[in-house]
Amino acid sequence: MYTRTVPVIAAVFQALFLSAGPAPAATYTDGEVLNTYVDCPLERIGTQLVRCDNLTGTGVDAPYWIPEQK
């Protein structure tokens, strides 16, 4: 039984983990802008989380300790 399963497990391991090359790096052209949100604190409007006037949090209610946006 072990004479068949060990080579199969070794082959599957190599196929899954060792043959994959590095992931390609993201490339941005001149027209695309990478948003980093470094200068924008996390705030809330009512129960919605916002950062730089963009809704975030996927609709989950914001905790009360997050400051309200003015």
Side-chain angles (χ1 to χ4, degrees):
M1 178 172 169
Y2 291 112
T3 58
R4 289 187 185 175
T5 57
V6 172
V8 170
I9 291 172
V12 169
F13 178 79
Q14 287 180 357
L16 290 177
F17 299 107
L18 301 179
S19 64
T27 57
Y28 298 99
T29 61
D30 293 334
E32 294 179 274
V33 177
L34 177 63
N35 293 328
T36 56
Y37 304 118
V38 174
D39 297 330
C40 299
L42 183 64
E43 298 174 318
R44 66 182 171 91
I45 298 176
T47 61
Q48 296 295 315
L49 292 169
V50 293
R51 185 182 303 267
C52 294
D53 293 333
N54 291 322
L55 284 175
T56 181
T58 63
V60 176
D61 288 343
Y64 68 90
W65 64 82
I66 304 291
E68 184 88 28
Q69 189 180 50
K70 296 178 181 183

